[in-house]
Amino acid sequence: MKFTDGYWQSRHGVTLLRPAEVRDLEVGDDGRTLTAYAPTARIHTRGDTLNRPLLTVEFSSPMPDVIRVRLARHLGAGPRHPQFAVDGAADAPVSVTVDDDGGTLTAGGLRVHVAKGPGYAVSFLADGRRLTGSMPRGTGVALFEDDDVFAVDQLALGVGDLVYGLGERFGPLVKNGQTVDIWNADGGTSSEQAYKNVPFYLTNAGYGVFVRHPEEVSFEVGSEAVSATQFSVAGEELEYYVIHGPSPKEILARYTALTGRAPQVPAWSYGLWLSTSFTTSYDEATVMSFVDGMAERGLPLSVFHFDCFWMREFHWCDFVWDPATFPDPAGMLRRLKAKGLRVCVWINPYIAQRSHLFAEGMEKGYLVRRADGSVWQWDKWQAGMGLVDLTNPAAVDWFTGELHKLLDIGVDAFKTDFGERIPTEVVWHDGSDPERMHNYYTQLYNRAVFDLLRRTKGEGEAVLFARSATAGGQQFPVHWGGDCDSTFPSMAESLRGGLSLAYSGFGYWSHDIGGFEGTPDPAVFKRWLAFGLLSSHSRLHGSDSYRVPWAFDDEAVEVTRRFTRLKLALMPYLTRVAREVTTDGVGVMRALLLEFPDDPAVAHLDRQYTLGDSLLVAPVLSHDGSVDYYVPAGRWTGLLDGRTVTGPAWVREQHGFDSVPLLVRPDTVLPLGACTDSPEYAWADGVTLALVELADGIREVTVPGFAGDADTLFTVERGSEVVTVRRALGPDLPGSFRVLVVGAGSGATVVGGRAIPHPDHLPYAVGGLLVEATDDVVEIALGTGSAS
């Protein structure tokens, strides 16, 4: 929202109350807060204090390197609900000082200084420099002629400062120059609307900002004042947190420590998911033909998903299987489980009028009501549908109780669709502010379903396929990108959305392989397969056409097989990376800025990413296989072909459908699993440690234990021309392991193992010396000039 007409004037009908001086500074009674009192005009005489608004700005800290700011004119409205939960310690170390020049609050490595006297000068400082600060012409309260009031602040952008995040947004990855309104909408992937709006942004300048308001927050990112990021909310108060890094990863770590981190998700969820698609015709015979077709073609499948029409038309949701197409749901699920599959079903929080649950929900007060006491209803999506009031604990129990019945017959996961079309002209059971509930509802929805799965399945076994989210929604994974077209431009916009979401603290992300709307050209489908199977989670799903690979051509079957097997071989690596989601708040898929913050060339890259910290992926977004991508410094090695690329450099290549730029970072020990037909196996048993361009030194590599097994720890030491690999003993020591010294010749001397030929069935192809360990310590003396 813009309030000014150029630099000098306010917009018609807008009066801006700006701080004209910091009149006084106070230290809180507990010594933990700093409060500035700023009148909206200079005070020269006592009379100037009359009939004059006074802005109150309070600074505090919930944890080191995070400073909270609350700006207000009138405080009488009191707390509004719901509110984003934030973690922090009441006794987090804080230092507050005030002198004649101003006041300073210090929290860890971040401090805020407020100058006393004329003007309004607030600076956030760290690492010996000013990170940002409030802009005097952009801070305050805006009054409209119609009595609307907005609280607003602007934080300065320096030369070269770039802004990222604000949820899953499908436009340019760098948000500078954009107006972004935080308001969840069911708008697809091709517009400025977003399913997952998050009022948090991250910069390349050492800080991020979280605006703690669930209601609509309007961001002007260098668009009202080109040298500032502005954010505003309706009302008299504005609360936000400045979060110091200095690195982007550290900013995300602190933001997710504040708002919550994702737990671990089950191993089976990393495998390939296949769906019925949306409006296609399907019954049990169709489903079994798809499942058997995948098996007959050697395509590993982990999850089968039933979309909306598992229920009867006009009944969504009643959670009753359509007897015409699925007369024996419990038996069908048993038959699918016998084939080694997990099962996911589609749900949403709406109750159609024709559903048998509607009358019960209306009678018991479980559906959201209007001010006159009637149930809120409309006909968009489902005829006469109501919305479950998840602010009512009894309604939560009722809703999740219906879902529990599905778990009892074998369902393993839920696709929690929708959650964006939340009305504001309603009254909530707990009195929540309707404007705030619009964005916040998805938090209640996904939490309720995720918690049910966690209680029922156990810690680490709960997983959703969720579309909507807001700040903190990363605690209820997985999220997917929503409804995209089946085109290369839509494939690119989906990737931008995923990277934007990763910048917003979300750890796991997926998308519909081949696109959702329409039927993809076979070239689009095959290119999308590589991208989809090199994402944290991978699903074949469409709208009005199936996504079984043989529906496109025989080559699509081969491409599916290759990249599915590749992903399963990467499970020792992916599950190690996934731990960082829980411990550090960093996503599995990452924009390159997160890994290479000191390389200015990566700042705008939005057509490539890293999968974890060690793999660079550049999806091919063209029919002819042409792709341009950037490689940071060092000699990188192609995992699929063994070719090397030395950066920093831009690269232009041609790739067949069975290939994609997939490069291993220099100085990497990449664990590759021995199993390529399932994600569920003992990842350390028979693991191959690929040593790629190792520098001299020692590094530790952890291969997570599967299904509660102990982790296996390897140490890899490179010194001069000798590489030593040690496996630490554990309570459940797995079988043999292998060492692949990429680029090494056959003339090396091996102790504790034996050189073996490369198997011909692997989904990756990197050359070098392959050694099978015969002891827990393998020592390899390399010949002069060997690459690793």
Side-chain angles (χ1 to χ4, degrees), residues 219-356:
F219 287 86
E220 299 286 347
V221 187
S223 47
E224 173 141 31
V226 297
S227 59
T229 300
Q230 174 178 292
F231 37 92
S232 59
V233 297
E236 298 274 359
E237 297 183 44
L238 174 64
E239 180 183 352
Y240 64 92
Y241 295 74
V242 176
I243 303 169
H244 173 230
S247 73
K249 277 188 177 180
E250 289 169 301
I251 297 167
L252 282 178
R254 293 192 173 103
Y255 166 69
T256 55
L258 196 67
T259 60
R261 292 179 181 150
Q264 294 294 281
V265 294
W268 55 261
S269 72
Y270 292 93
L272 182 60
W273 299 45
L274 176 63
S275 163
T276 58
S277 290
F278 173 31
T279 60
T280 51
S281 176
Y282 50 86
D283 55 15
E284 182 175 348
T286 312
V287 170
M288 291 304 179
S289 74
F290 287 172
V291 170
D292 292 341
M294 295 289 283
E296 291 162 4
R297 293 167 175 83
L299 305 179
L301 185 64
S302 296
V303 184
F304 194 86
H305 168 70
F306 292 85
D307 217 51
C308 315
F309 282 96
W310 68 271
M311 291 177 280
R312 294 166 291 178
E313 62 185 26
F314 294 114
H315 286 73
W316 309 341
C317 282
D318 63 0
F319 310 109
V320 175
W321 292 82
D322 186 342
T325 48
F326 301 109
D328 179 21
M332 178 181 64
L333 297 193
R334 284 195 301 272
R335 290 184 281 277
L336 288 171
K337 294 299 184 70
K339 296 176 183 290
L341 298 177
R342 294 332 198 271
V343 174
C344 175
V345 298
W346 176 95
I347 63 169
N348 68 196
Y350 307 125
I351 307 296
Q353 185 168 279
R354 195 175 176 189
S355 166
H356 72 279

Side-chain angles (χ1 to χ4, degrees), residues 605 607-608 618-620 625-630 650-653 661:
L605 297 181
R607 297 196 301 275
Q608 61 188 86
V620 179
S626 61
V627 57
D628 296 323
Y629 62 95
Y630 174 78
W650 278 94
V651 180
R652 175 168 292 175
E653 294 177 345

